[in-house]
Amino acid sequence: MQASNHLIKGNLEFEISKRRDLRCFGEVKERKSTLNPNLCIRRASIRSDLRSGAVSMGAELSRARDCVQSVVRSSIKSRSVKAQASGDVEDLAPFNPREKFTGSVLPFVGVACLGAILFGYHLGVVNGALDYLSKDLGIAQNAVMQGWVVSTLLAAAAVGSFTGGALADKFGRTRTFQLDAIPLIIGALLTAIARDVQTMIIGRLLAGIGIGITSAVVPLYISEISPTEIRGALGSVNQLFICIGILAALVAGLPLSGNPGWWRPMFGLAVVPSILLALGMTYSPESPRWLFQQGKISEAEKSIEALYGKERVTEVMYELSNAGQGSTEPEAGWVDLFSCRYRKVVSVGAALFLFQQFAGINAVVYYSTAVFHSAGIASDVAASALVGASNVFGTVIASSLMDKQGRKNLLIASFSGMGASMLLLSVSFSWKVLGPYSGMLAVVGTVLYVLSFSLGAGPVPALLLPEIFASRIRAKAVALSLGTHWISNFVIGLYFLSVVDKFGIGAVYMVFATVCSVAVLYIGGAVVETKGRSLEEIELALNPTS
């Protein structure tokens, strides 16, 4: 049996060495025998072993197969190898591990999603509260200053998203969450106690830095700890909790009509999930991929065991080895993101967030109450809460479709529906003949728009980007893409009301509809499908020389 174990070890080391050095190029023949179909052993290697002189080794090899299967459960099939050579990710065979998902990762995803709740809450809290805080702070007649109260958060979030990538690379994902809780807590407290607009803006700046960091780290952490078979569903949970945060902010604003000072507790409530996030991350495992990349092998194994169970430790470590995550390549710098090697894939990330924002979603989130009021809706805050509920409902549906329909199909369907809804809204506000029905059409069009957004344009970009970025650029590339998101968000938040005053809401919505149409064309030609592939398979396919 000692000889058998020695043979097993030698064959396994040989396979890992070949895959690491040759990047898995070449044709791999599948054995048509009783081997697990997820495991391919080279004919040449077996023939060499059989010629070694031990006829009785046949029985040992039969027993050895079971041992090897328990050590390595995943291997890239011959069709996957061809795809790596050609760089075509769409030809990759899906990764289907035999073990059923145990659900042990879910509590840690839930802790990370506290950051997503804060993201949504800080975005939505100003929607219903803006009129009331403006009166208290003396800026009720100053539309420009009101715009700054809204958009200061967004400008700071852009800074935070860039900082988040660097912090996540340096200190790890969980420690970054804990550091991030500091500006989130202080920012929420300052906005709640503000007696002048300067204090309010400082508080919004700190809160913005906090949600900018979470916007980069939450999807990154979830994608890196999620099993391949449910990574799409768990990735969309990030967007679901952002929507829950927005809905919570809108619902929290319902008492405002009877209690104008309620806006202060509304802002202060954000302290609670901030504290829970810091405490929860104390007990959450670090990303195994980050630990492996740092050379902390034993810690990576412990993290994998906590996330997936002891039986999958060797399997996941084998995947990380195949992807070259422990290679001698230095960590990518910001300039590397624009090199020929990564330029195309990084541009896809930035473009998706540009389309997401300039398709008008945050104009709807920030100003739906004001738009409904101008359309004659009596209970404008309640109508905005209905919009938030639609966002949550659509995201729940998207979670169930993500790993079935695929990311690309959902994006195309989503932007198509958004474009049609914006066209309806534009017509309802522009055509005088529809004036008597403008209120109803405003609600219907906005709800349909938000539903369409939540099915793809909302959840998919934050999920797709950590999937398509190579490990050595992942944190910085996600941060860059989200920086684009926040800068676009800032521009819309600052200038939306001014542009509407100058050109009319119908014309602005028509521009949003046009952006949606362009997005559909771009996605059809530039975005690749990633469902069912492990991060390591995707990385090898898109960056075969990395």
Side-chain angles (χ1 to χ4, degrees):
M1 197 61 192
Q2 272 187 329
S4 174
N5 290 336
H6 180 73
L7 174 61
I8 294 166
K9 182 178 179 182
N11 282 343
L12 182 56
E13 290 177 349
F14 174 76
E15 279 296 308
I16 293 175
S17 175
K18 291 293 289 181
R19 290 175 184 275
R20 183 176 294 159
D21 294 339
L22 301 180
R23 311 308 304 164
C24 298
F25 291 128
E27 191 71 22
V28 179
K29 301 293 186 180
E30 291 189 18
R31 284 203 54 173
K32 295 180 180 179
S33 65
T34 59
L35 280 177
N36 185 325
N38 289 334
L39 182 65
C40 294
I41 300 180
R42 292 178 178 270
R43 290 181 181 274
S45 176
I46 292 175
R47 287 172 181 166
S48 174
D49 296 334
L50 290 176
R51 285 197 299 266
S52 63
V55 175
S56 62
M57 190 62 72
E60 293 292 339
L61 281 174
S62 178
R63 290 194 295 270
R65 283 197 293 265
D66 294 332
C67 181
V68 176
Q69 288 170 4
S70 69
V71 174
V72 183
R73 298 288 185 185
S74 64
S75 180
I76 304 172
K77 296 183 179 180
S78 58
R79 187 159 65 91
S80 176
V81 176
K82 292 177 183 177
Q84 293 166 13
S86 64
D88 187 359
V89 73
E90 306 228 27
D91 289 335
L92 280 173
F95 169 61
N96 296 306
R98 291 179 59 189
E99 294 83 4
K100 292 184 178 179
F101 172 60
T102 62
S104 58
V105 74
L106 294 180
F108 309 120
V109 171
V111 172
C113 283
L114 289 170
I117 289 176
L118 287 162
F119 182 149
Y121 191 85
H122 280 292
L123 287 180
V125 71
V126 75
N127 190 317
L130 186 59
D131 287 344
Y132 300 92
L133 71 86
S134 296
K135 291 176 183 177
D136 278 2
L137 302 182
I139 56 171
Q141 305 302 318
N142 192 335
V144 174
M145 193 56 69
Q146 290 180 35
W148 275 106
V149 170
V150 173
S151 56
T152 295
L153 178 91
L154 310 177
V159 176
S161 66
F162 287 112
T163 306
L167 291 174
D169 275 343
K170 183 174 180 60
F171 298 110
R173 290 28 169 167
T174 56
R175 183 61 59 85
T176 300
F177 276 117
Q178 293 174 315
L179 293 172
D180 185 40
I182 298 172
L184 286 169
I185 292 170
I186 297 175
L189 290 174
L190 286 177
T191 54
I193 66 173
R195 297 295 174 183
D196 52 59
V197 71
Q198 290 82 8
T199 304
M200 171 60 69
I201 288 178
I202 292 172
R204 294 281 284 175
L205 277 169
L206 289 172
I209 291 172
I211 67 169
I213 293 173
T214 61
S215 72
V217 183
V218 171
L220 179 66
Y221 181 70
I222 292 177
S223 71
E224 291 188 341
I225 69 171
S226 297
T228 300
E229 60 270 29
I230 60 168
R231 191 178 63 244
L234 291 184
S236 61
V237 166
N238 173 47
Q239 180 65 24
L240 172 62
F241 277 89
I242 291 174
C243 299
I244 290 173
I246 293 172
L247 177 60
L250 295 174
V251 171
L254 292 177
L256 280 168
S257 57
N259 182 9
W262 175 250
W263 68 268
R264 294 184 183 277
M266 283 176 64
F267 281 92
L269 284 173
V271 171
V272 177
S274 303
I275 294 174
L276 292 176
L277 176 64
L279 293 176
M281 278 297 157
T282 304
Y283 302 99
S284 298
E286 183 54 80
S287 161
R289 288 174 173 84
W290 181 81
L291 291 170
F292 193 96
Q293 199 171 22
Q294 302 300 308
K296 301 178 180 180
I297 305 303
S298 61
E299 293 180 40
E301 291 174 344
K302 291 178 183 178
S303 179
I304 294 167
E305 183 176 347
L307 290 167
Y308 316 126
K310 189 173 182 179
E311 67 279 2
R312 294 190 68 173
V313 171
T314 307
E315 173 192 333
V316 177
M317 292 296 291
Y318 180 71
E319 285 185 358
L320 296 177
S321 297
N322 275 353
Q325 300 239 11
S327 70
T328 57
E329 282 194 285
E331 184 180 292
W334 289 104
V335 176
D336 294 327
L337 301 184
F338 304 97
S339 65
C340 294
R341 181 176 174 181
Y342 298 120
R343 185 186 304 136
K344 181 178 179 181
V345 72
V346 170
S347 68
V348 169
L352 286 179
F353 277 114
L354 277 173
F355 285 128
Q356 183 194 71
Q357 294 307 303
F358 283 100
I361 180 58
N362 281 314
V364 172
V365 171
Y366 302 143
Y367 300 110
S368 60
T369 299
V371 170
F372 289 149
H373 182 73
S374 67
I377 303 297
S379 182
D380 44 15
V381 175
S384 290
L386 173 63
V387 170
S390 302
N391 203 2
V392 173
F393 175 75
T395 306
V396 171
I397 300 300
S399 298
S400 65
L401 297 176
M402 197 70 66
D403 290 311
K404 297 177 182 178
Q405 300 300 319
R407 287 55 152 161
K408 184 173 182 177
N409 289 336
L410 286 179
L411 278 174
I412 292 174
S414 176
F415 276 105
S416 298
M418 290 161 63
S421 301
M422 276 297 177
L423 184 61
L424 173 63
L425 285 166
S426 177
V427 168
S428 69
F429 282 106
S430 301
W431 292 7
K432 293 182 180 180
V433 69
L434 296 176
Y437 311 101
S438 61
M440 179 189 68
L441 290 175
V443 174
V444 171
T446 302
V447 168
L448 289 177
Y449 174 87
V450 171
L451 275 173
S452 299
F453 173 84
S454 62
L455 286 174
V460 171
L463 166 65
L464 184 68
L465 302 194
E467 293 181 328
I468 64 175
F469 293 144
S471 59
R472 68 186 295 262
I473 69 165
R474 188 171 291 142
K476 287 186 174 67
V478 168
L480 176 66
S481 300
L482 285 163
T484 303
H485 163 277
W486 287 116
I487 292 170
S488 306
N489 205 331
F490 168 76
V491 171
I492 291 173
L494 183 61
Y495 293 110
F496 177 74
L497 286 180
S498 300
V499 173
V500 167
D501 287 343
K502 185 172 183 178
F503 298 102
I505 188 67
V508 174
Y509 280 171
M510 184 61 71
V511 172
F512 290 154
T514 303
V515 171
C516 292
S517 301
V518 176
V520 170
L521 297 176
Y522 177 84
I523 292 164
V527 175
V528 298
E529 184 55 71
T530 60
K531 72 169 183 175
R533 286 95 180 184
S534 72
L535 296 182
E536 287 68 42
E537 286 178 311
I538 297 167
E539 177 173 343
L540 286 172
L542 291 177
N543 305 282
T545 60
S546 65

